[in-house]
Amino acid sequence: MQEPVLVLNANFEPIHICSTRRAIGLILAGKAGMIANGRGHIRTISQLLPRPSVIRLEHQVHRPRPRVKLTRREIFRRDNYTCQYCGRRDGSLTVDHVIPRHMGGQHIWTNLVAACPGCNHRKGGRKVDEVHMHLMHVPKEPPANAAYIFGKHLSDNGEWEPYISGW
């Protein structure tokens, strides 16, 4: 009952991921309709309910455009879990400020990169050019499109592909 379900707006725009339990509640309340059932059925005492994979809301929900939250996990995901100084794919990555905070660097997408502990220590509280290091990619805010936001779930839920790729 805790498997993820893709929630589409009335115009088929992907807007959220909820649990199977919540999706069935929305369907039974008449607030959503099932679009794809790729997971079998749920047996209750009196009926057999399909287990949804994708649902669509009956009424359009107006909401602001989503933005990717600035977190450690999202910085690592944006940088493909790779040190941006040496290119090492290490499990113990840290977050580094390209322009250190004490020199006026801000805690924003364009000033944060993933770095291995060795490179982060070597750079210390100095600027990149002071220690003769180079960034592999210029840091920027990741796109807030459906493919980036919901793409991490596609490997487990292949039936979501047509609904995510169009946005």
Side-chain angles (χ1 to χ4, degrees):
M1 293 297 279
Q2 297 302 319
E3 290 179 306
V5 176
L6 181 65
V7 180
L8 304 176
N9 215 339
N11 65 351
F12 286 90
E13 176 187 9
I15 60 171
H16 188 60
I17 294 176
C18 70
S19 67
T20 303
R21 180 184 199 99
R22 174 76 174 134
I24 291 174
L26 289 170
I27 292 170
L28 293 176
K31 295 181 179 182
M34 186 175 62
I35 300 295
N37 170 17
R39 301 184 177 148
H41 295 83
I42 297 171
R43 185 175 303 278
T44 66
I45 295 173
S46 60
Q47 58 186 333
L48 190 66
L49 299 172
R51 181 176 286 169
S53 176
V54 180
I55 63 171
R56 178 177 162 250
L57 298 177
E58 295 294 329
H59 300 286
Q60 182 76 12
V61 175
H62 299 285
R63 63 187 190 99
R65 281 275 158 221
R67 295 191 66 184
V68 180
K69 292 180 182 171
L70 179 59
T71 63
R72 287 174 56 88
R73 182 178 294 164
E74 288 299 329
I75 291 168
F76 296 156
R77 184 172 167 222
R78 176 200 66 186
D79 294 342
N80 199 20
Y81 301 93
T82 306
C83 175
Q84 293 302 295
Y85 297 113
C86 67
R88 187 180 320 153
R89 293 181 62 97
D90 195 359
S92 60
L93 289 174
T94 61
V95 174
D96 180 49
H97 289 83
V98 178
I99 300 173
R101 305 257 338 234
H102 69 88
M103 292 181 168
Q106 298 177 338
H107 193 75
I108 56 175
W109 281 107
T110 56
N111 194 40
L112 296 170
V113 294
C116 66
C119 289
N120 200 349
H121 182 72
R122 180 177 155 210
K123 180 179 169 288
R126 297 172 292 188
K127 292 184 180 179
V128 178
D129 54 348
E130 291 176 9
V131 289
H132 307 292
M133 296 173 78
H134 302 285
L135 286 169
M136 295 177 68
H137 299 98
V138 176
K140 60 182 180 180
E141 185 171 355
N145 58 18
Y148 183 83
I149 294 172
F150 303 115
K152 57 187 168 191
H153 298 282
L154 280 179
S155 61
D156 299 329
N157 304 290
E159 63 272 8
W160 294 6
E161 171 74 38
Y163 306 103
I164 292 177
S165 61
W167 292 93

